[in-house]
Amino acid sequence: MRLQDHIDFTTLQWVKPELDETLAAARDALESYVDNPGNRDAMRSCADSLHQVHGTLQMVELYGAAMVADEMETLSIALLEDHVPQREEAYASLMRGLMQLPDYLERLSSGHRDVPVVLLPLLNELRASRKMAALTEVALFNPRLDAPLPPQAPPAVSETEALARRGRVADLRLRFQQQLLAWFRGQNADQQLLGMRDTLNAITGCCHSTPGRRLWWIAAGALEGLEQGHLKAQAAEVRQLIGKVDRSIRQMLEHGEESLRGGDADDLARKLLFIVAQAKQRSPQMQLLRETYALDSLLPDAAELEHARGSMAGHNRALLDSVSRALKDDLLRVKEALDLFLRQSDADPAQLAAQSEVLERVGDTLGMLALSVPR
């Protein structure tokens, strides 16, 4: 069940105090480690706290936020194992994540919809610290794939009948390969698109389960959109994804329909649905896809996106109170050091070197809070 299904608001409210406490513990542990890199237990504690946050967010099905927690945990472990060359940048990225994630959860707990795409810049910043490739918006697109196919889709057969039709699927796969190759070569493209649609719908009608049927039906819908000219702008991407469908047909033949659950087949289905969701115009089967998988509810409009981005400033009161106390302590220590220095007639300015480092750290913290003038 997704957050917008109402009951998850209650679930999030139930776990949020624990999440806030655990994220605060992770933040304290990170600050302790940055101040004293020899304290490896502090970073282990940070990673353990983030692991707990990740599990809780998965439980309430906030998958975008869970991905952020997972990336932060992975980065914490990479820092602990000395696998991160730019450590200062990684510390800053981790701290930003620990400031922004509570804000995002606070927004959701106040009744706003989950808009995980606003987490993408943070996710990619965390990944960049480990020299990992950037993710695209489709990585945060999570339609409920287990939704039953509508009556308009080719009907399911019994499990016994599906086993009996395994040879038929093998023949259909060969036909699909031939049509796909002809399409790639530009040989009567419209005819091949129609033929592939029919072949995939025929394969759908040879299966008994939702995991066994959904990819072929989704792919057929994307091909219909391409054939009718509604996916011209995404034609190259659709072509690339349809080219991978054959491997999933082979996987089903070799390992059965359940092998398609949660693997490459689901990834293909999500990517095809993302393309369909973005299309301004829709064919009849594209419309069925949008209704079956509630695609319109998964893409925020401009106003909602702007509001969600505004909530990611890292300025929730609990965090500001915590950071404010730490900054005041740092500034008080600098003030005391300056007072002591000024009272000495023969004081060496080199004594103030340590205070410049403290002030630089204070400035960095203010910068992460987007408080540029105080910085």
Side-chain angles (χ1 to χ4, degrees), residues 4-171:
Q4 54 264 43
D5 290 337
H6 301 299
I7 190 171
D8 281 356
F9 286 109
T10 304
T11 306
L12 179 60
Q13 291 285 0
W14 179 57
V15 300
K16 190 172 181 298
E18 176 191 343
L19 285 170
D20 289 341
E21 183 178 338
T22 309
L23 285 166
R27 191 165 59 246
D28 291 343
L30 175 61
E31 290 173 353
S32 177
Y33 181 77
V34 171
D35 289 341
N36 180 15
N39 185 7
R40 296 172 63 82
D41 287 342
M43 185 55 83
R44 288 194 188 94
S45 176
C46 179
D48 290 344
S49 294
L50 289 168
H51 182 77
Q52 183 179 338
V53 170
H54 174 241
T56 303
L57 290 171
Q58 279 195 313
M59 181 187 71
V60 297
E61 299 191 7
L62 292 175
Y63 297 116
M67 287 176 67
V68 171
D70 185 47
E71 285 292 343
M72 288 195 292
E73 179 191 357
T74 303
L75 181 54
S76 298
I77 294 171
L79 282 164
L80 195 58
E81 296 176 349
D82 295 324
H83 293 161
V84 179
Q86 303 295 330
R87 299 182 69 86
E88 294 299 325
E89 293 179 8
Y91 295 151
S93 297
L94 267 178
M95 184 57 73
R96 259 188 290 277
L98 288 167
M99 290 190 299
Q100 291 182 359
L101 191 54
D103 281 350
Y104 187 72
L105 297 177
E106 194 170 285
R107 175 182 182 273
L108 298 184
S109 69
S110 66
H112 293 284
R113 194 159 63 98
D114 188 14
V115 185
V117 70
V118 300
L119 298 168
L120 188 60
L122 176 58
L123 271 171
N124 285 332
E125 180 183 340
L126 291 164
R127 290 175 63 84
S129 297
R130 296 187 295 117
K131 307 300 182 185
M132 298 296 292
L135 299 174
T136 61
E137 289 185 17
V138 71
L140 293 165
F141 184 73
N142 280 293
R144 179 162 287 284
L145 292 180
D146 283 339
L149 272 60
Q152 296 92 329
V157 297
S158 68
E159 188 170 358
T160 301
E161 183 65 19
L163 288 172
R165 295 191 186 187
R166 189 65 61 87
R168 168 68 172 156
V169 174
D171 292 339

